[in-house]
Amino acid sequence: MSGIALVRKPGPRIAEGIVTHIERAPVDHERARHQHDAYVAALAAAGWRPVYAEDADHLPDAPFVEDAVVVSGRLAVLTRPGAPERRPEVESVERAVRELGLKAVRIARPGTLDGGDVLQVGPTVYVGRSARTDDEGVSQLAALLPERRVVPVGLRGVLHLKSAVTALPDGTLIGDPGRVELPGLLEPPEEPGAHVVPLGGDRVLLAASAPRTAAMLERRGLVVTRVDISEFERLEGCVTCLSVLIPDQQWRAPEFRGPDLVFHHRWTDRLS
């Protein structure tokens, strides 16, 4: 599998990002930039072509781009984040997905939905009921995705659903049963081990802070790419929230019309 990885560079105010369930710790902007570059390079090496949403240096949480949009097929559902200070992040993400040829729709007021609360596993879409996502947001998402089975999920003590559970390539849910109301979870040895990004086939991306989980997944036959995202973890971030992966079958490039589409090719400069 391959496709587009929608990402955004961390800005100089990243240390001011919202922290809810952990104590605030210092965040090194330069180190965060280097870690983000390495994260994007790992996605590119796995066949995901990075596309950068516009820089948003005035918005500290902007690199957590997953929270701004949910992509299903060729439909991009623009969210309405539960934290009001994060809502301006959505505008530039809308421009990015429209540039990619996706149809964009919105979660409307008064509903709230964060993309980090949305876990897509085959035909099923699990949606966390969190401090950032309310029942109205869940209902609107279900109405926008009539072909999918939308399942609300209760959470305890975590920011987002995908802070507690994600899915392996075969659909197995991996996560913390003490934090999420889902049965039959594969329980990882470390908290960051609940955050897995399937890269296609038997490949997955995992934070370097979960070495025992990496070993467990390798014993299951998976190929694990490890990335250090420690600066983002200080802000309750994880490997899932730093990108939105759009498989090739979901993505249709617009016809080339000249230099106005340089947006699609900027990633080569970013990795050089």
Side-chain angles (χ1 to χ4, degrees):
M1 183 183 294
S2 61
I4 291 293
L6 179 63
V7 294
R8 174 148 45 201
K9 286 277 188 184
R13 295 181 57 189
I14 186 172
E16 302 171 34
I18 303 170
V19 173
T20 304
H21 293 283
I22 62 175
E23 290 188 15
R24 184 171 294 280
V27 176
D28 186 314
H29 171 234
E30 284 305 313
R31 187 176 184 196
R33 286 180 61 88
H34 289 307
Q35 289 180 352
H36 193 270
D37 287 343
Y39 172 90
V40 173
L43 295 179
W48 297 91
R49 301 186 295 279
V51 166
Y52 283 80
E54 296 170 20
D55 291 346
D57 289 351
H58 60 298
L59 300 172
D61 287 298
F64 301 120
V65 68
E66 176 188 52
D67 289 326
V69 65
V70 175
V71 176
S72 176
R74 294 192 59 248
L75 183 70
V77 180
L78 299 162
T79 67
R80 186 170 182 265
E85 58 266 52
R86 296 202 61 191
R87 291 173 192 163
E89 298 171 25
V90 177
E91 181 180 352
S92 52
V93 169
E94 178 178 11
R95 288 193 289 271
V97 296
R98 289 187 185 279
E99 284 279 346
L100 290 172
L102 300 180
K103 177 183 177 181
V105 295
R106 282 185 174 272
I107 299 296
R109 182 185 301 182
T112 62
L113 179 81
D114 273 20
D117 278 320
V118 180
L119 174 62
Q120 302 186 56
V121 185
T124 301
V125 181
Y126 298 100
V127 188
R129 287 193 178 107
S130 72
R132 304 287 181 87
T133 295
D134 62 15
D135 287 340
E136 173 64 20
V138 176
S139 296
Q140 288 189 35
L141 182 66
L144 291 168
L145 303 178
E147 75 286 358
R148 309 288 295 275
R149 183 171 73 100
V150 174
V151 178
V153 180
L155 304 177
R156 292 178 292 275
V158 288
L159 180 63
H160 290 130
L161 176 65
K162 291 169 78 172
S163 303
V165 60
T166 53
L168 302 181
D170 65 359
T172 298
L173 298 180
I174 180 170
D176 182 352
R179 302 290 190 183
V180 62
E181 296 175 4
L182 285 170
L185 298 181
L186 174 64
E187 191 169 354
E190 304 108 332
E191 183 273 334
H195 317 141
V196 176
V197 178
L199 297 173
D202 58 1
R203 299 169 298 166
V204 297
L205 188 73
L206 192 69
S209 54
R212 289 180 293 160
T213 304
M216 180 184 76
L217 297 182
E218 288 169 344
R219 289 193 295 270
R220 293 174 67 95
L222 296 175
V223 178
V224 180
T225 297
R226 302 164 177 81
V227 288
D228 181 5
I229 58 162
S230 59
E231 298 305 302
F232 300 96
E233 289 173 329
R234 293 169 183 259
L235 296 165
E236 295 177 285
C238 56
V239 288
T240 61
C241 55
L242 291 169
S243 62
V244 177
L245 301 187
I246 308 170
D248 275 333
Q249 62 265 31
Q250 295 182 195
W251 177 70
R252 184 183 68 186
E255 289 184 20
F256 184 78
R257 298 187 301 274
D260 58 322
L261 287 189
V262 70
F263 174 87
H264 294 296
H265 307 288
R266 286 197 300 165
W267 69 274
T268 56
D269 298 327
R270 302 275 186 156
L271 294 179
S272 61

